């Protein structure tokens, strides 16, 4: 295992090795059951315990109050782009979206298919290389909710502190930085995330939602798309992604073993600093692609080299050293190092070592 590649993939992404080891054993036989976690019924008491344990961990980590429910759904964050307006965007209301990247744009587009939705702030004119300014932003009086994206996976921007919209229901897509820092879950009407970056494998969508709001959704929408259906059934209304939920539980247990979100945040800050220092200390050889340093992500570090040829050469050398997943998203170019919770500092240091040698040689 010691010669595993260092995994900088944006998602699905690196998971703690101890989680993979535990999961691989459970794929053969669950402790005390003898059958694979893949083979047991989602109605069995063993799976009910796995499900309840993972939900309890979400609640603990984000201090989710009793006014909110935790749901494990399917369909990814993209499914939430539609399910949110389907449940919450009333006829005379408007969805208010803060556009900070391609994913928030997609969320807005889906809302527009289902009702009225507008952008209330956008950094699209800046190519999303910084976060939009929220100074003096006007939320429409008939807003059903304000939607934000906490971390912009493609561009490498992240709200240093999550914005607040007093008196409004705040919906936040936390797909790429969930459980990377402390969050007060009760401050949000709805939080959602595909699990595949910081919380487990793809196939599980984590939702934390205000109970009263969820109950207010019209009963005319299809049963499967009503949040309330899943809340009423502990997310076991239909067959859940059982292995995925098991892995979410293991991943959250690992976070708690690390000391919880305050400790995880500290480690994430330290890792990001090493990488950004290498970029900023390179005399302009490496350039961070985020224009406002205060908006830099601690999860996805995006940077450019002096030319595309050098970028290709760098990626080749990285590949030879088994540093994988570093190619930037096609809409930004350059490189992107995704350094989620499970990335050890040693992995970042290996990358920085290559960056320094490469700069001197080129
Ligand atoms: N939102 C953000 C911030 C993302 O990073 C992604 C995926 N990378 C999505 C939404 C879409 O997630 P999914 O593929 O789970 O639908």
């Amino acid at each position: 295992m010691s010669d595993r590649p260092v995994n900088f993939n944006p998602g699905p992404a690196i998971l703690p090795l101890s989680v993979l080891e535990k999961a691989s054993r459970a794929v053969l036989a669950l402790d005390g059951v003898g059958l694979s976690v893949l083979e047991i019924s989602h109605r069995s008491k063993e799976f009910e315990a796995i499900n309840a344990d993972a939900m309890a961990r979400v609640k603990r980590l984000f201090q989710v109050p009793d006014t909110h429910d935790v749901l494990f759904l399917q369909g990814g964050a993209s499914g939430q782009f539609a399910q949110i307006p389907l449940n919450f965007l009333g006829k005379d209301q408007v969805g208010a979206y803060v556009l900070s990247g391609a994913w928030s744009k997609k969320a807005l587009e889906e809302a527009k298919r289902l009702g009225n939705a507008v952008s209330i702030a956008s950094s699209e004119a800046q190519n999303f290389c910084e976060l939009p300014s929220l100074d003096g932003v006007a939320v429409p009086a008939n807003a059903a909710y304000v939607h934000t994206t906490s971390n912009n996976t493609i561009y490498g921007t992240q709200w240093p502190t999550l914005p607040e919209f007093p008196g409004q229901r705040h919906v936040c897509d936390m797909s790429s930085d969930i459980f990377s820092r402390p969050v007060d879950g009760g401050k949000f009407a709805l939080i959602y995330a595909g699990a595949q970056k910081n919380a487990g494998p793809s196939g599980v969508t984590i939702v934390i939602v205000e109970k009263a709001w969820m109950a207010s959704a019209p009963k005319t929408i299809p049963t499967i798309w009503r949040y309330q259906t899943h809340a009423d059934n502990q997310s076991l209304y239909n067959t859940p992604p059982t292995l995925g939920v098991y892995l979410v539980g293991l991943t959250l247990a690992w976070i708690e073993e690390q000391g919880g979100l305050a400790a995880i945040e500290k480690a994430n800050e330290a890792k990001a600093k090493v990488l950004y220092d290498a970029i900023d200390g390179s005399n302009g050889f490496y350039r961070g692609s985020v224009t406002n340093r205060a908006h830099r992500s601690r999860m996805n570090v995006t940077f450019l080299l002096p030319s595309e040829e050098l970028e290709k050469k760098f990626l080749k050398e990285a590949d030879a050293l088994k540093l994988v997943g570093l190619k930037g998203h096609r809409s930004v170019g350059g490189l992107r190092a995704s350094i989620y919770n499970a990335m050890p500092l040693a992995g970042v240091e290996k990358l920085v070592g290559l960056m320094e040698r490469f700069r001197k040689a080129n």
Side-chain angles (χ1 to χ4, degrees):
M1 283 294 176
S2 59
D3 65 341
R4 291 186 102 229
V6 185
N7 184 0
F8 293 97
N9 275 310
I14 185 168
L15 286 167
L17 190 54
S18 62
V19 165
L20 297 177
E21 282 165 349
K22 277 184 195 152
S24 67
R25 285 197 298 274
V27 163
L28 290 175
L30 259 181
D31 281 349
V33 180
L35 291 176
S36 167
V37 65
L38 293 167
E39 296 175 299
I40 61 170
S41 167
H42 62 295
R43 307 273 174 221
S44 63
K45 67 176 188 327
E46 289 83 8
F47 186 75
E48 276 179 5
I50 287 170
N51 195 46
D53 172 76
M55 284 179 181
R57 290 184 193 279
V58 173
K59 283 196 179 149
R60 250 190 334 260
L61 285 169
F62 268 8
Q63 305 167 56
V64 178
D66 288 343
T67 48
H68 288 56
D69 264 323
V70 173
L71 310 176
F72 294 145
L73 306 180
Q74 302 181 61
S78 303
Q80 293 306 300
F81 296 166
Q83 195 169 357
I84 289 159
L86 198 56
N87 279 262
F88 298 126
L89 191 48
K91 257 202 177 68
D92 304 319
Q93 293 179 310
V94 59
Y97 284 73
V98 174
L99 298 194
S100 54
W103 296 112
S104 41
K105 261 182 86 176
K106 284 202 165 136
L108 171 61
E109 278 161 25
E110 288 306 292
K112 282 183 174 168
R113 288 174 199 276
L114 293 158
N116 290 322
V118 293
S119 150
I120 55 166
S122 172
S123 53
E124 190 170 18
Q126 290 76 42
N127 255 327
F128 297 126
C129 286
E130 59 183 42
L131 294 167
S133 164
L134 297 177
D135 288 346
V137 89
V139 179
N142 60 338
Y145 55 81
V146 179
H147 180 285
T148 61
T149 311
S150 55
N151 182 75
N152 299 284
T153 328
I154 295 175
Y155 310 90
T157 61
Q158 181 181 30
W159 293 95
T161 49
L162 292 164
E164 295 193 20
F165 304 92
Q168 301 291 338
R169 287 200 159 96
H170 187 176
V171 172
C172 188
D173 175 359
M174 293 193 190
S175 290
S176 50
D177 68 353
I178 193 164
F179 306 131
S180 70
R181 55 180 166 180
V183 164
D184 184 349
K187 281 193 174 165
F188 296 83
L190 192 149
I191 291 169
Y192 66 97
Q196 64 267 22
K197 289 123 172 27
N198 265 340
S202 60
V204 185
T205 314
I206 298 168
V207 172
I208 302 166
V209 57
E210 192 190 315
K211 287 177 185 170
W213 198 31
M214 167 168 67
S216 74
K219 297 191 173 56
T220 48
I221 58 180
T223 314
I224 188 81
W225 304 128
R226 293 187 68 222
Y227 289 105
Q228 189 66 53
T229 303
H230 300 283
D232 288 344
N233 292 280
Q234 290 76 48
S235 299
L236 299 169
Y237 169 71
N238 65 320
T239 316
T242 50
L243 179 64
V245 170
Y246 178 68
L247 270 145
V248 167
L250 291 183
T251 307
L252 303 190
W254 176 84
I255 291 175
E256 292 190 301
E257 283 158 22
Q258 306 309 299
L261 294 182
I264 286 279
E265 179 182 45
K266 247 182 146 176
N268 284 332
E269 277 171 358
K271 286 183 286 175
K273 184 174 186 315
V274 167
L275 199 38
Y276 285 119
D277 281 353
I279 292 167
D280 296 336
S282 71
N283 283 324
F285 185 83
Y286 301 106
R287 279 173 302 127
S289 51
V290 175
T291 45
N292 183 336
R293 286 188 186 186
H295 298 171
R296 284 172 159 180
S297 170
R298 299 177 200 124
M299 297 281 100
N300 311 98
V301 176
T302 50
F303 58 102
L304 306 161
L305 272 71
S307 69
E308 272 183 43
E309 286 71 53
L310 283 172
E311 283 167 2
K312 278 192 191 131
K313 193 173 168 200
F314 185 95
L315 287 171
K316 238 178 134 176
E317 293 190 18
D319 212 47
L321 289 173
K322 294 194 182 175
L323 306 174
V324 304
L326 287 164
K327 195 169 163 35
H329 190 273
R330 59 193 179 280
S331 61
V332 178
L335 273 68
R336 169 176 53 177
S338 297
I339 51 170
Y340 299 117
N341 290 350
M343 171 63 65
L345 178 62
V348 175
E349 283 169 344
K350 216 166 164 185
L351 173 59
V352 165
L354 170 64
M355 286 167 72
E356 282 168 7
R357 287 193 304 279
F358 189 88
R359 173 168 64 92
K360 284 179 190 142
N362 293 277

